[in-house]
Amino acid sequence: MSLDTVLLVGGAVLIGLEIVVPGGILGAIGVVSLIAGFFFFLGGGWDAFCIVGGTVAVLAAISALLFWFIPSSVSWNPFVLREKQKNSEGYTGAGDYSAYLGKRGKVIAPLRPAGTALIDGERMDVVSFGDYIDKDAEIEIVKIEGSKILVKQVNS
C-alpha cells in the first residue's frame, strides 16, 4: 500500500472513530491525515500544495461565512436564543408566582403528584405534597418554591 492510500484510509477511519469516541483529537488527526493523503495523492510538490491549500482555504472561508450568516437568518431563528441576561439584573430563571399564593383553582390533569391546574383562567403546572388529586378537584396554592407551585386539595 502506498503512503497516500494509508493516509486517506487512516484519516477516514479516525474521523469515523471520532463519531463514536468524541473528544476532538481523533477527528483533528483524521482531518490532517486526509489533507496529507490528498497532498501525496496529487503527487506532492508545489502544485499539489497549491491545490490542497486552496481547497482548505475555500472550505474555511465557506465555513466562516456560514457561521456568520446562518444564526442571523430567519430560518435559523428557532435555534438561536436572542435574549441576553445582564449581570446588573441578576439571575432571572424563574417567574415570580408569589401573587398566586392562596388562590384556588381546579385540577385539569390529575396530580400524581405533578399535573396541571386552571388558576384564574391560566393553565399552570403544579405539584401536590405527594398526594394523588383527581381531575376536577378544587385546590389551593399553599407554597411557592422558585418555579415550583405546591398545592393541596380543598375539602369543601
Side-chain angles (χ1 to χ4, degrees):
M1 249 196 218
S2 63
L3 178 63
D4 59 346
T5 307
V6 170
L7 287 170
L8 289 171
V9 171
V13 168
L14 286 171
I15 289 174
L17 283 174
E18 177 67 29
I19 295 170
V20 179
V21 184
I25 300 297
L26 295 177
I29 295 171
V31 168
V32 170
S33 179
L34 281 175
I35 291 170
F38 281 119
F39 174 77
F40 288 118
F41 179 75
L42 294 172
W46 181 250
D47 291 339
F49 179 78
C50 289
I51 292 170
V52 171
T55 303
V56 168
V58 167
L59 289 175
I62 290 171
S63 297
L65 286 173
L66 289 175
F67 279 111
W68 181 266
F69 288 114
I70 284 181
S72 62
S73 73
V74 174
S75 60
W76 198 252
N77 279 343
F79 305 106
V80 178
L81 182 62
R82 301 275 180 226
E83 187 176 310
K84 294 182 181 179
Q85 290 185 341
K86 297 180 179 128
N87 288 341
S88 61
E89 296 174 0
Y91 178 69
T92 57
D96 183 21
Y97 296 109
S98 59
Y100 289 100
L101 196 58
K103 293 204 177 202
R104 292 184 175 199
K106 184 174 155 183
V107 175
I108 54 177
L111 306 184
R112 303 180 188 150
T116 308
L118 191 64
I119 300 167
D120 284 347
E122 186 176 343
R123 290 175 59 102
M124 303 182 82
D125 292 324
V126 297
V127 180
S128 71
F129 287 96
D131 303 329
Y132 178 87
I133 302 176
D134 286 321
K135 183 180 177 188
D136 296 326
E138 189 176 352
I139 53 156
E140 180 181 353
I141 297 176
V142 292
K143 190 174 184 182
I144 308 254
E145 293 178 351
S147 62
K148 187 191 274 188
I149 301 170
L150 295 151
V151 298
K152 70 174 184 177
Q153 187 169 2
V154 176
N155 297 326
S156 302

